[in-house]
Tab-separated table of all heavy atoms in Angstrom:
chain	number	residue	atom	x	y	z
A	251	GLY	N	19.077	17.238	-17.228
A	251	GLY	CA	18.964	18.488	-16.461
A	251	GLY	C	17.914	18.489	-15.367
A	251	GLY	O	17.614	19.596	-14.825
A	252	PHE	N	17.349	17.350	-14.999
A	252	PHE	CA	16.355	17.344	-13.948
A	252	PHE	C	17.028	17.602	-12.611
A	252	PHE	O	18.073	17.003	-12.296
A	252	PHE	CB	15.578	16.025	-13.927
A	252	PHE	CG	14.777	15.784	-15.177
A	252	PHE	CD1	14.994	14.696	-15.987
A	252	PHE	CD2	13.759	16.700	-15.520
A	252	PHE	CE1	14.230	14.476	-17.128
A	252	PHE	CE2	13.008	16.496	-16.637
A	252	PHE	CZ	13.237	15.411	-17.455
A	253	THR	N	16.430	18.400	-11.740
A	253	THR	CA	16.955	18.692	-10.432
A	253	THR	C	15.773	18.797	-9.425
A	253	THR	O	14.625	18.741	-9.769
A	253	THR	CB	17.752	20.004	-10.397
A	253	THR	OG1	16.883	21.097	-10.841
A	253	THR	CG2	18.961	19.946	-11.330
A	254	GLY	N	16.139	18.962	-8.162
A	254	GLY	CA	15.155	19.246	-7.115
A	254	GLY	C	14.078	18.157	-7.043
A	254	GLY	O	14.357	16.943	-7.060
A	255	SER	N	12.805	18.650	-6.977
A	255	SER	CA	11.727	17.685	-6.777
A	255	SER	C	11.532	16.777	-7.967
A	255	SER	O	11.036	15.663	-7.822
A	255	SER	CB	10.409	18.443	-6.567
A	255	SER	OG	10.022	19.220	-7.665
A	256	GLU	N	11.981	17.240	-9.170
A	256	GLU	CA	11.883	16.315	-10.351
A	256	GLU	C	12.802	15.113	-10.158
A	256	GLU	O	12.417	13.985	-10.381
A	256	GLU	CB	12.308	17.125	-11.541
A	256	GLU	CG	11.371	18.221	-12.007
A	256	GLU	CD	11.897	19.070	-13.170
A	256	GLU	OE1	13.145	19.028	-13.414
A	256	GLU	OE2	11.083	19.702	-13.817
A	257	MET	N	14.060	15.377	-9.704
A	257	MET	CA	15.006	14.251	-9.552
A	257	MET	C	14.551	13.338	-8.406
A	257	MET	O	14.677	12.133	-8.503
A	257	MET	CB	16.430	14.794	-9.299
A	257	MET	CG	17.473	13.728	-9.227
A	257	MET	SD	17.656	12.809	-10.785
A	257	MET	CE	18.797	13.882	-11.684
A	258	VAL	N	14.086	13.915	-7.298
A	258	VAL	CA	13.623	13.135	-6.207
A	258	VAL	C	12.404	12.263	-6.620
A	258	VAL	O	12.267	11.077	-6.233
A	258	VAL	CB	13.319	13.905	-4.953
A	258	VAL	CG1	12.755	13.034	-3.817
A	258	VAL	CG2	14.538	14.690	-4.472
A	259	SER	N	11.500	12.850	-7.406
A	259	SER	CA	10.357	12.116	-7.875
A	259	SER	C	10.737	10.958	-8.764
A	259	SER	O	10.200	9.873	-8.695
A	259	SER	CB	9.397	13.043	-8.666
A	259	SER	OG	8.857	14.054	-7.854
A	260	ILE	N	11.766	11.198	-9.639
A	260	ILE	CA	12.299	10.142	-10.494
A	260	ILE	C	12.897	9.032	-9.642
A	260	ILE	O	12.704	7.828	-9.946
A	260	ILE	CB	13.287	10.696	-11.504
A	260	ILE	CG1	12.591	11.618	-12.499
A	260	ILE	CG2	14.051	9.598	-12.238
A	260	ILE	CD1	13.514	12.432	-13.363
A	261	LEU	N	13.664	9.437	-8.588
A	261	LEU	CA	14.247	8.393	-7.721
A	261	LEU	C	13.201	7.519	-7.098
A	261	LEU	O	13.306	6.298	-7.055
A	261	LEU	CB	15.057	9.134	-6.596
A	261	LEU	CG	15.586	8.235	-5.509
A	261	LEU	CD1	16.542	7.212	-6.050
A	261	LEU	CD2	16.236	9.060	-4.403
A	262	VAL	N	12.103	8.144	-6.590
A	262	VAL	CA	11.038	7.412	-5.997
A	262	VAL	C	10.396	6.445	-6.990
A	262	VAL	O	10.082	5.284	-6.700
A	262	VAL	CB	9.990	8.309	-5.307
A	262	VAL	CG1	8.774	7.520	-4.858
A	262	VAL	CG2	10.584	9.062	-4.192
A	263	MET	N	10.171	6.969	-8.205
A	263	MET	CA	9.588	6.126	-9.260
A	263	MET	C	10.417	4.866	-9.545
A	263	MET	O	9.867	3.780	-9.768
A	263	MET	CB	9.423	6.993	-10.543
A	263	MET	CG	8.916	6.238	-11.750
A	263	MET	SD	8.891	7.253	-13.262
A	263	MET	CE	10.703	7.169	-13.690
A	264	LEU	N	11.752	5.041	-9.502
A	264	LEU	CA	12.687	3.928	-9.824
A	264	LEU	C	12.984	3.048	-8.654
A	264	LEU	O	12.999	1.790	-8.829
A	264	LEU	CB	13.960	4.527	-10.349
A	264	LEU	CG	13.906	5.353	-11.659
A	264	LEU	CD1	15.294	6.035	-11.850
A	264	LEU	CD2	13.621	4.439	-12.842
A	265	ALA	N	13.197	3.622	-7.462
A	265	ALA	CA	13.853	2.893	-6.365
A	265	ALA	C	13.002	2.665	-5.114
A	265	ALA	O	13.541	2.199	-4.113
A	265	ALA	CB	15.148	3.592	-6.005
A	266	ALA	N	11.705	3.009	-5.178
A	266	ALA	CA	10.871	2.745	-4.032
A	266	ALA	C	10.692	1.220	-3.915
A	266	ALA	O	10.749	0.532	-4.968
A	266	ALA	CB	9.510	3.406	-4.209
A	267	PRO	N	10.372	0.727	-2.720
A	267	PRO	CA	10.170	-0.726	-2.565
A	267	PRO	C	9.004	-1.196	-3.356
A	267	PRO	O	8.065	-0.417	-3.600
A	267	PRO	CB	9.947	-0.874	-1.010
A	267	PRO	CG	9.528	0.478	-0.578
A	267	PRO	CD	10.253	1.443	-1.431
A	268	SER	N	9.008	-2.472	-3.689
A	268	SER	CA	7.898	-3.018	-4.441
A	268	SER	C	6.586	-2.856	-3.693
A	268	SER	O	6.470	-3.097	-2.513
A	268	SER	CB	8.123	-4.505	-4.694
A	268	SER	OG	9.333	-4.713	-5.420
A	269	THR	N	5.565	-2.407	-4.442
A	269	THR	CA	4.294	-2.101	-3.798
A	269	THR	C	3.548	-3.388	-3.457
A	269	THR	O	3.615	-4.404	-4.156
A	269	THR	CB	3.407	-1.209	-4.712
A	269	THR	OG1	2.145	-0.991	-4.097
A	269	THR	CG2	3.207	-1.852	-6.037
A	270	VAL	N	2.766	-3.297	-2.350
A	270	VAL	CA	2.053	-4.461	-1.881
A	270	VAL	C	1.020	-4.954	-2.871
A	270	VAL	O	0.683	-6.087	-2.882
A	270	VAL	CB	1.405	-4.123	-0.475
A	270	VAL	CG1	0.355	-3.044	-0.629
A	270	VAL	CG2	0.797	-5.361	0.143
A	271	SER	N	0.509	-3.992	-3.698
A	271	SER	CA	-0.483	-4.399	-4.657
A	271	SER	C	0.064	-5.372	-5.690
A	271	SER	O	-0.664	-6.110	-6.422
A	271	SER	CB	-1.060	-3.197	-5.397
A	271	SER	OG	-0.027	-2.400	-5.944
A	272	CYS	N	1.409	-5.502	-5.797
A	272	CYS	CA	2.022	-6.530	-6.649
A	272	CYS	C	1.545	-7.949	-6.249
A	272	CYS	O	1.270	-8.772	-7.097
A	272	CYS	CB	3.534	-6.477	-6.546
A	272	CYS	SG	4.348	-5.112	-7.378
A	273	TYR	N	1.527	-8.142	-4.931
A	273	TYR	CA	1.119	-9.451	-4.407
A	273	TYR	C	-0.356	-9.767	-4.717
A	273	TYR	O	-0.669	-10.836	-5.175
A	273	TYR	CB	1.353	-9.502	-2.882
A	273	TYR	CG	0.824	-10.775	-2.317
A	273	TYR	CD1	1.608	-11.965	-2.301
A	273	TYR	CD2	-0.411	-10.823	-1.625
A	273	TYR	CE1	1.125	-13.136	-1.728
A	273	TYR	CE2	-0.885	-11.984	-1.074
A	273	TYR	CZ	-0.135	-13.132	-1.112
A	273	TYR	OH	-0.577	-14.275	-0.529
A	274	VAL	N	-1.169	-8.718	-4.523
A	274	VAL	CA	-2.608	-8.932	-4.753
A	274	VAL	C	-2.876	-9.261	-6.208
A	274	VAL	O	-3.587	-10.154	-6.545
A	274	VAL	CB	-3.400	-7.655	-4.360
A	274	VAL	CG1	-4.857	-7.770	-4.710
A	274	VAL	CG2	-3.223	-7.328	-2.905
A	275	MET	N	-2.179	-8.529	-7.152
A	275	MET	CA	-2.389	-8.791	-8.560
A	275	MET	C	-1.814	-10.108	-9.026
A	275	MET	O	-2.439	-10.869	-9.741
A	275	MET	CB	-1.819	-7.632	-9.371
A	275	MET	CG	-2.580	-6.316	-9.192
A	275	MET	SD	-1.853	-4.977	-10.175
A	275	MET	CE	-2.108	-5.544	-11.816
A	276	ALA	N	-0.635	-10.431	-8.482
A	276	ALA	CA	-0.007	-11.700	-8.889
A	276	ALA	C	-0.853	-12.901	-8.388
A	276	ALA	O	-1.076	-13.866	-9.115
A	276	ALA	CB	1.441	-11.839	-8.233
A	277	LYS	N	-1.361	-12.792	-7.184
A	277	LYS	CA	-2.140	-13.853	-6.640
A	277	LYS	C	-3.454	-14.100	-7.375
A	277	LYS	O	-3.877	-15.187	-7.609
A	277	LYS	CB	-2.437	-13.580	-5.153
A	277	LYS	CG	-3.014	-14.740	-4.334
A	277	LYS	CD	-1.982	-15.706	-3.934
A	277	LYS	CE	-2.466	-16.770	-2.987
A	277	LYS	NZ	-1.441	-17.784	-2.697
A	278	ASN	N	-4.047	-12.940	-7.756
A	278	ASN	CA	-5.375	-13.023	-8.402
A	278	ASN	C	-5.304	-13.328	-9.876
A	278	ASN	O	-6.281	-13.650	-10.495
A	278	ASN	CB	-6.121	-11.749	-8.172
A	278	ASN	CG	-6.814	-11.708	-6.806
A	278	ASN	OD1	-7.887	-12.168	-6.613
A	278	ASN	ND2	-6.066	-11.074	-5.857
A	279	MET	N	-4.076	-13.201	-10.435
A	279	MET	CA	-3.899	-13.395	-11.886
A	279	MET	C	-3.025	-14.644	-12.172
A	279	MET	O	-2.343	-14.665	-13.197
A	279	MET	CB	-3.344	-12.106	-12.572
A	279	MET	CG	-4.304	-10.915	-12.398
A	279	MET	SD	-3.676	-9.384	-13.090
A	279	MET	CE	-3.746	-9.820	-14.834
A	280	HIS	N	-3.038	-15.554	-11.217
A	280	HIS	CA	-2.393	-16.908	-11.435
A	280	HIS	C	-0.880	-16.762	-11.673
A	280	HIS	O	-0.339	-17.533	-12.528
A	280	HIS	CB	-3.098	-17.627	-12.580
A	280	HIS	CG	-4.576	-17.671	-12.476
A	280	HIS	ND1	-5.209	-18.405	-11.507
A	280	HIS	CD2	-5.546	-17.054	-13.151
A	280	HIS	CE1	-6.525	-18.267	-11.637
A	280	HIS	NE2	-6.745	-17.439	-12.596
Side-chain angles (χ1 to χ4, degrees):
F252 295 120
T253 59
S255 66
E256 292 174 340
M257 186 62 85
V258 178
S259 297
I260 291 168
L261 171 63
V262 172
M263 179 185 76
L264 297 169
S268 301
T269 178
V270 66
S271 54
C272 288
Y273 174 81
V274 176
M275 291 179 66
K277 192 77 172 176
N278 281 274
M279 297 178 69
H280 309 291

